[in-house]
Amino acid sequence: MAPEARHRTTPSIRRPDSVVALRRALDAAGYTFAAVREALGADETLMVLPHQVPLANRRLGDGPLGTLIRLFVVDGTVTTEQAARALAPLSLQEAIGMGVVTLGRSRVHGAVRILPTNGASFVFASDLDATDPSDLPADFVMGVTESSRLLACLTVRRPVERALDLGTGCGYQAVFAAQHARQVVATDVNPRAVAFARFNAMLNGADNIEVRSGDGFGAVQEGEAFDLIVCNPPFVISPDRAFTYRDSGLHADDVSHNLVRQVPRFLRPSGLAHLLVSWIHPHSSDADDEWSGPLRGWVAEAAEPCDAWFFRKGSYDPLAYAIMWNQRLALANQMPRYVAAVDRWTRYFEHLGVGALAWGAVWLRRRDVERPRVRCDELPEASLSADAANELVRLLETDDLLEGLSDAELLACGVSVRGDQRLEQVMRWSGGAFRTVDASLIRDTGLASRAEVDPPLAAVLAGVDGSRTVGQVLEHAARALGGDPAAVSAQALPAIRQLVSHGFLELGGVG
Ligand SMILES: C[S@@+](CC[C@H](N)C(=O)[O-])C[C@H]1O[C@@H](n2cnc3c(N)ncnc32)[C@H](O)[C@@H]1O
């Protein structure tokens, strides 16, 4: 007998009691990230590829947790009795009416994916994946992906009045924001995403989220402003218009460009925006040193001044970028479609005259000053920790402090070394002794920063013992180097500012 076809549904919040009952069923079964991961033996994405389904099915027991995972994670089917037992206190009829399961000839199918989050007690419903990614409909509502998690880690979680999640999808960023914003506005152009976001807000008890339907800032009223704006847009630079969640349909990197240019208008003074973006390097060599050039240009076009902080995840040559964003086709063994997509994308990039393509994030802070600051950092290859934004706020506040400190004031500050770093030296045998040819300070936490240390700076660092002011450290270094204190100071102060700015050194009282 042919397998029963799955039906795509959109979850409904017409009966709020039913949504609450579904949440109770999930909680009663222990449907947490740790339990689901353990039951599946999956990695942290909780992704189960088609070839892993039989093994996953064998691992899952027949209890409520196993049944719910079959329905909502591995696209399996269960008997009506199993479904009724696992979904209680929600009745099977209510679950069908709500659109989270469908009834086939004899068995119950999951109609949405529902995944718990790592590190928080939220669950998010999204569309089921298709076995063949090219069969996904254009209005597919994606679940929580690497980009969703990156944006959430980069978002500052401090109490605010109003937050905006632009392009909310299943509502992931909005539900997190609802924990620390009094009111959240979440918008999406895709009506099915709007329905999923409303459903997930209710499933997670977030009653301070208003979900609106609309295109870009069209869903925001004139004069509305926010303390926090988060946006994970369809930032991928692509010639396709296959999926609303991925392809903006706009030319080249215009979706990111427009966003960076427009967002400041909707920020309250001191308000923060966190955006994911992709941008084009006109020349492949720009990917080395000049990577932030286009982003600087976009921020400069904004009518309202903002401090900007650019984070690069990576820059790629056109072929690597095309491969990266189409690899789902390769993973699903759709090789002819994969090859055609990579060819189409690379032709598009040739037509645009692209040297390389980058993606990453932008922080904007509305600040009415004449010369706002710009800062650039690389994101580490590994995932950021959930509290990464706290560390970034500390660095931002350090930059605020440094901006207000004259050199004379800086010289009077106490200075110490932060504990979470190491100094790596490469020494080479030369002229009868080992001599340092390369030295770097390295921090593995947060942005995993690295700073080159030349011999004069090494002499400065040798004097930082937590008991001296910056001025005393520089005098100590001038004696050790046998140099003029004023010259050493003039040379070393910018480097000290850099080390403080990147969290290698801390300013404070003298110990
Ligand atoms: C990459 S998904 C991000 C979803 C979710 N915010 C997250 O972080 O996981 C992009 C979302 O933007 C929505 N979107 C695309 N174009 C839009 C537009 N012009 N206006 C509003 N939303 C849009 C898509 O429907 C999709 O839900």
Side-chain angles (χ1 to χ4, degrees), residues 488-500:
V488 170
S489 173
Q491 218 187 349
L493 270 180
I496 288 183
R497 281 186 185 270
Q498 278 293 317
L499 291 180
V500 173

Side-chain angles (χ1 to χ4, degrees), residues 109-249:
H109 303 244
V112 293
R113 168 145 357 286
I114 301 183
L115 290 183
T117 46
N118 190 2
S121 56
F122 301 132
V123 287
F124 289 93
S126 59
D127 261 329
L128 294 173
D129 278 317
T131 318
D132 175 354
S134 46
D135 284 346
L136 291 179
D139 61 358
F140 175 79
V141 177
M142 72 174 217
V144 179
T145 63
E146 184 197 344
S147 68
S148 323
R149 279 187 285 267
L150 173 64
L151 180 58
C153 288
L154 286 171
T155 300
V156 174
R157 305 286 171 203
R158 64 181 178 205
V160 291
E161 191 59 22
R162 302 192 79 224
L164 171 67
D165 175 15
L166 200 67
T168 193
C170 71
Y172 180 75
Q173 313 295 341
V175 167
F176 274 88
Q179 304 303 297
H180 57 100
R182 201 179 61 75
Q183 192 207 357
V184 179
V185 174
T187 75
D188 208 288
V189 74
N190 176 357
R192 296 191 63 252
V194 168
F196 270 99
R198 289 191 176 130
F199 182 79
N200 285 325
M202 200 173 270
L203 197 57
N204 290 294
D207 55 11
N208 54 342
I209 302 178
E210 181 196 344
V211 186
R212 299 182 192 165
S213 180
D215 184 351
F217 285 102
V220 177
Q221 277 135 36
E222 202 47 52
E224 259 192 303
F226 300 88
D227 307 289
L228 172 69
I229 299 179
V230 288
C231 182
N232 176 4
F235 60 81
V236 179
I237 301 167
S238 103
D240 292 348
R241 288 168 178 236
F243 310 116
T244 316
Y245 76 89
R246 189 195 68 183
D247 308 316
S248 68

Side-chain angles (χ1 to χ4, degrees), residues 53-98:
V53 170
L55 175 62
N57 266 321
R58 285 201 298 279
R59 290 178 65 113
L60 296 170
D62 283 331
L65 181 62
T67 299
L68 293 172
I69 296 174
R70 279 202 178 85
L71 286 174
F72 299 130
V73 187
V74 295
D75 302 352
T77 65
V78 299
T79 64
T80 51
E81 294 75 24
Q82 284 172 323
R85 244 194 335 269
L87 289 167
L90 182 71
S91 75
L92 186 51
Q93 277 318 312
E94 283 176 309
I96 294 168
M98 205 196 311

